[in-house]
Amino acid sequence: MLRLFFSGLCLLLLSLGGCALFPDRDPLNINVVGLEPLTSQGMEVRFAVKIRVQNPNDNPIDYNGVALNLEVNGQPLASGVSDQRGSIGRFSEAVVTVPVSISAFSVMRQTLGQTQSLDNLPYVLRGKLAGGLFGTQRFVDSGQLSLASPLAGAR
């Protein structure tokens, strides 16, 4: 019984020491900086969502895929993925572009539930940068989206 206790204690201490090997990492800062129309097909609308990714850490972040989900007015509106690869240097930033699709049904759902103007619509953007030494980096951005102007923009 005593041997089992010491084995468990050693395992606990080793696991705590293993966590010290991974430095504390600050979360990424993500902002939507633009929406550009893309060629659409059938019953969908496509946009290129541009996000600015800031790395406030002392180590670069390498990624090999990006995924986004966009909610407007609390309803899912668009989603997109990209297999692009890149690196965001230490204490650096980059603009990443991800194509997203909006189905006609999502547009109808948004239109039917719309009780306010197309200015200052609340949005939430959830996503992830996949891969790299520290695994997937998840992020969330929120703000106000204006769709009434000819050039749609965020914040």
Side-chain angles (χ1 to χ4, degrees):
M1 182 71 170
L2 189 57
R3 179 180 269 177
L4 183 63
F5 173 74
F6 282 121
S7 296
L9 182 61
C10 287
L11 184 62
L12 177 66
L13 291 175
L14 286 174
S15 66
L16 290 175
C19 291
L21 294 176
F22 295 106
D24 291 334
R25 295 187 61 80
D26 291 325
L28 300 175
N29 298 318
I30 308 291
N31 294 305
V32 176
V33 294
L35 292 172
E36 294 179 1
L38 295 175
T39 303
S40 301
Q41 297 179 18
M43 294 182 62
E44 72 175 0
V45 178
R46 299 199 25 96
F47 286 95
V49 175
K50 293 187 176 196
I51 57 173
R52 182 173 309 281
V53 182
Q54 295 177 335
N55 178 10
N57 296 292
D58 195 24
N59 297 320
I61 293 178
D62 298 320
Y63 63 94
N64 59 14
V66 185
L68 298 177
N69 288 308
L70 177 64
E71 292 179 6
V72 175
N73 271 339
Q75 296 289 324
L77 180 66
S79 63
V81 294
S82 174
D83 66 350
Q84 64 186 295
R85 298 174 182 270
S87 181
I88 302 166
R90 59 185 290 277
F91 299 106
S92 186
E93 64 182 35
V95 174
V96 178
T97 302
V98 180
V100 297
S101 299
I102 304 172
S103 73
F105 298 111
S106 293
V107 172
M108 287 182 357
R109 182 174 50 238
Q110 286 288 334
T111 304
L112 292 175
Q114 187 64 29
T115 58
Q116 61 188 37
S117 74
L118 295 177
D119 280 330
N120 299 321
L121 296 172
Y123 76 88
V124 177
L125 179 74
R126 289 177 174 68
K128 64 181 178 179
L129 292 174
L133 179 62
F134 294 100
T136 297
Q137 300 285 316
R138 295 186 183 277
F139 58 86
V140 175
D141 180 43
S142 60
Q144 303 292 319
L145 187 66
S146 178
L147 298 175
S149 64
L151 297 174
R155 269 195 245 233

